[in-house]
Amino acid sequence: MICMETIAKIRRLYHKDALSIRAIALKLNINRRTVKKHIEQTAIPVYQKPIKRYPMLGDFLTELNQRLTEAQTQPKIKRMTACRHYEWLKSCGYQGSYSSVSAYIRQFTDQSAPSPVAFIPQHFPIGDAYQFDWSTESIKIAGIVQKAQVAHFRLCHSRAFFVRAYPNQKMEMLMDAHNHAFTYFGGVPKRGIYDNMKTAVKSIGTGKEREFNAQFLALMNHYMIEPVACTPASGWEKGQIERQVRTLHKQVFEPMLSFGTWQEFNAFLLQQCQDRIFTALHPEDKTVTVSVRFAQEQRVLTPCKPYQGYRVEWVRVNSLSLVLFDTHRYSVPCNYVLRNVELHISATEVKVIAEGNEVAIHPRSFDKQKTTYNPWHYLSVLERKPGALRNGEPFLHWPLPQPVKTLQSHLLKQPKGDRAMVKLLSLIADYGEEIGVKAAAIALDNEMPTVEAVLNIIHRLTEPVIPAIISYDVPLRMPPQAQLSRYDSLLSLGAHYAAA
């Protein structure tokens, strides 16, 4: 079979250059019958590439096809490459080339690809909607490889985007992500387009009917957003955010990033959001950048305040005055031992509530099987067991102010120094850290490193100040006039009662 280019030359040489069939056959070095056949054809033939055969793969095709079929059910990122398949075939005795293996895999993939689906272009008015989705990225934090859950937001009109990373996808992370995103955008659109994630959708009905999660609805009601859930397995309904996830995965998260803390990681992501909108051209108007459209859309977004939501958990304080949440322990004041308390959990902190009062607050920690202590929570126990100050775990790395540390070194050299140090800590707890540290510094400056000296100085620092009497010399407009007649009337009244 000759190619389409040769057929075109035959027709040009015969019809335009008026060469004979013999001359054309000699010129192109082909058979005259072939030249005659293509000249007499009235319909122009369409060249079809012949199906390539793979004789060297003959004995391995059945098992290779099975492996390729199973790979179709896996995500693309987890599928074996053609090189890996070639290595496996070589171990099985295959003697052919790598190019044949890769060509066969491409042919198999093309033949098994699903039928193309047509999509309808979408248009979103300014300030109308945003799209949201999560992605999972590998990241190294403090030298440890972790799975980061990245929240993606995208304004549908201007294409401005925001991303922020968290250790998980729980409700408090979702709330925090919305607060940061709308602060960055400078307002809130009318609608939010989501997939059917569990933190948003409780159950899926027919069509677009959804039963939303109560906490998610509270978040939406605060921002006055109409939540819209996509049809299951219909990613094209939020195609912008799906494309953003794929693009940022390749451009930002590969190769693997490394940071010391989550705060550093999120600061890097925020800088990426700010930098990219100034260089990316808007897909509907290549003459302007995304930042130009973003500035226009910000003017129509609804102003908002951050949502003060949190997740609630009921836990019991154990005998070590600790509560357990998400495999991490947090200290609680000792007077709440063996009592039930309420935890208010946000993305950044954990509050302990007892009988309606906040009794402890800790930064949120995601370190598994670790403990966060507040040494002041154990002060009441120290008053009864002062010896625990030396080896008690909550006090091993206590960051006391330098004057208090220096005074401690003096006190522990004295008899019953542990008890004296506990008394000093009690004074600081009663009068406040500012007064207590200042008094300790003054006592050291005066070479009086004792608790009694600190207490005396605290009393002097906290004694009430008597305000000075201020005299005002204000001239009187009407000077007072003495009326002696009033005294005369009193004298006559007194004489009357004495006579009676």
Side-chain angles (χ1 to χ4, degrees):
M1 181 181 291
I2 64 175
C3 65
M4 282 293 294
E5 185 178 354
T6 304
I7 296 173
K9 287 181 180 179
I10 292 172
R11 292 170 61 81
R12 287 198 303 270
L13 291 172
Y14 183 80
H15 291 289
K16 289 193 173 185
D17 297 344
L19 294 182
S20 65
I21 294 176
R22 180 184 177 84
I24 296 172
L26 290 172
K27 184 177 180 66
L28 300 179
N29 194 24
I30 57 177
N31 192 282
R32 284 178 292 175
R33 289 190 297 272
T34 302
V35 175
K36 184 178 179 181
K37 181 184 71 171
H38 289 294
I39 289 174
E40 292 175 351
Q41 282 182 339
T42 56
I44 300 176
V46 178
Y47 174 73
Q48 293 183 349
K49 186 177 180 179
I51 299 176
K52 191 174 181 179
R53 306 296 177 183
Y54 305 92
M56 299 295 290
L57 282 171
D59 296 335
F60 307 98
L61 282 179
T62 301
E63 194 167 354
L64 178 59
N65 288 340
Q66 182 179 354
R67 290 168 65 93
L68 294 175
T69 302
E70 292 174 355
Q72 296 292 329
T73 62
Q74 298 178 347
K76 288 185 178 181
I77 196 171
K78 294 185 177 181
R79 298 178 190 175
M80 292 177 62
T81 62
C83 184
R84 296 287 301 277
H85 285 295
Y86 173 69
E87 293 173 354
W88 168 76
L89 288 169
K90 291 285 285 184
S91 67
C92 295
Y94 173 67
Q95 300 295 324
S97 64
Y98 167 75
S99 59
S100 296
V101 175
S102 60
Y104 179 79
I105 293 175
R106 285 195 300 271
Q107 177 181 309
F108 181 91
T109 304
D110 293 341
Q111 291 175 351
S112 60
S115 302
V117 180
F119 302 101
I120 300 175
Q122 295 182 319
H123 174 75
F124 294 92
I126 186 169
D128 175 58
Y130 67 91
Q131 296 178 2
F132 173 85
D133 202 1
W134 288 101
S135 74
T136 302
E137 311 292 346
S138 295
I139 183 70
K140 189 178 289 186
I141 301 292
I144 301 174
V145 177
Q146 303 184 37
K147 291 294 184 181
Q149 307 301 322
V150 182
H152 292 255
F153 293 82
R154 191 178 188 87
L155 296 179
C156 298
H157 176 80
S158 65
R159 305 307 203 275
F161 69 94
F162 176 80
V163 291
R164 186 171 177 84
Y166 297 91
N168 57 55
Q169 297 183 14
K170 293 182 180 179
M171 179 58 71
E172 61 269 23
M173 310 302 170
L174 185 67
M175 296 175 182
D176 188 74
H178 281 73
N179 286 339
H180 281 88
F182 296 143
T183 300
Y184 172 75
F185 290 145
V188 185
K190 298 177 182 177
R191 298 185 300 136
I193 302 173
Y194 300 82
D195 58 14
N196 296 280
M197 55 188 184
K198 292 183 179 180
T199 47
V201 177
K202 190 174 181 180
S203 63
I204 302 174
T206 58
K208 290 291 185 181
E209 293 182 3
R210 299 289 187 274
E211 182 182 356
F212 288 102
N213 183 295
Q215 287 185 305
F216 177 75
L217 275 183
L219 174 67
M220 295 292 99
N221 290 339
H222 171 80
Y223 286 115
M224 294 180 291
I225 297 172
E226 177 191 353
V228 179
C230 295
T231 305
S234 301
W236 59 85
E237 294 185 9
K238 53 182 181 67
Q240 290 188 23
I241 202 69
E242 296 280 350
R243 191 179 305 109
Q244 174 180 309
V245 169
R246 292 193 299 269
T247 301
L248 293 184
H249 175 76
K250 295 179 180 179
Q251 296 182 358
V252 177
F253 298 105
E254 289 185 351
M256 184 186 297
L257 300 172
S258 178
F259 297 93
T261 63
W262 285 94
Q263 289 77 12
E264 293 177 10
F265 181 25
N266 280 317
F268 167 79
L269 294 179
L270 177 61
Q271 191 63 46
Q272 290 291 311
C273 298
Q274 294 171 341
D275 293 343
R276 289 173 179 269
I277 66 172
F278 285 99
T279 57
L281 298 178
H282 195 275
E284 295 178 359
D285 184 0
K286 301 293 186 180
T287 62
V288 298
T289 62
V290 171
S291 61
V292 174
R293 288 290 188 93
F294 179 41
Q296 296 171 353
E297 189 166 23
Q298 281 183 305
R299 301 190 190 105
V300 302
L301 297 178
T302 305
C304 64
K305 294 181 179 179
Y307 178 58
Q308 302 299 326
Y310 49 82
R311 185 153 64 99
V312 177
E313 296 281 346
W314 282 93
V315 295
R316 186 173 180 82
V317 183
N318 65 14
S319 59
L320 299 176
S321 197
L322 299 172
V323 293
L324 179 66
F325 170 72
D326 198 17
T327 72
H328 191 91
R329 294 175 292 271
Y330 301 90
S331 67
V332 179
C334 289
N335 50 322
Y336 295 98
V337 166
L338 302 182
R339 293 171 59 180
N340 293 328
V341 295
E342 187 178 353
L343 299 184
H344 291 182
I345 305 129
S346 70
T348 56
E349 62 185 18
V350 174
K351 294 181 179 180
V352 183
I353 309 298
E355 299 176 355
N357 299 315
E358 180 183 308
V359 298
I361 182 170
H362 293 279
R364 178 82 179 268
S365 177
F366 300 95
D367 295 332
K368 304 297 183 182
Q369 306 301 330
K370 297 292 182 65
T371 305
T372 298
Y373 289 108
N374 182 346
W376 296 104
H377 291 163
Y378 296 88
L379 185 59
S380 60
V381 178
L382 276 179
E383 292 173 352
R384 292 183 287 107
K385 302 177 180 180
L389 187 62
R390 295 178 182 266
N391 299 310
E393 187 174 342
F395 319 113
L396 293 180
H397 305 288
W398 194 353
L400 289 170
Q402 190 56 47
V404 179
K405 281 188 174 182
T406 305
L407 191 57
Q408 181 182 19
S409 63
H410 288 284
L411 293 176
L412 294 182
K413 296 176 183 178
Q414 303 172 7
K416 298 183 179 181
D418 291 331
R419 191 172 298 279
M421 184 60 196
V422 172
K423 186 176 180 181
L424 173 63
L425 294 173
S426 299
L427 291 176
I428 295 175
D430 292 340
Y431 291 95
E433 183 174 347
E434 182 180 356
I435 295 294
V437 173
K438 185 176 181 180
I442 294 174
L444 291 172
D445 291 341
N446 289 276
E447 298 182 356
M448 294 185 297
T450 63
V451 179
E452 291 73 14
V454 173
L455 178 59
N456 183 274
I457 294 170
I458 288 176
H459 287 162
R460 289 164 56 190
L461 292 174
T462 57
E463 63 184 3
V465 178
I466 301 175
I469 299 175
I470 302 175
S471 61
Y472 296 95
D473 296 329
V474 180
L476 298 177
R477 294 182 181 179
M478 298 181 63
Q481 296 180 357
Q483 296 183 359
L484 299 180
S485 58
R486 294 183 179 180
Y487 294 97
D488 294 338
S489 62
L490 290 174
L491 288 174
S492 61
L493 185 62
H496 172 72
Y497 279 110

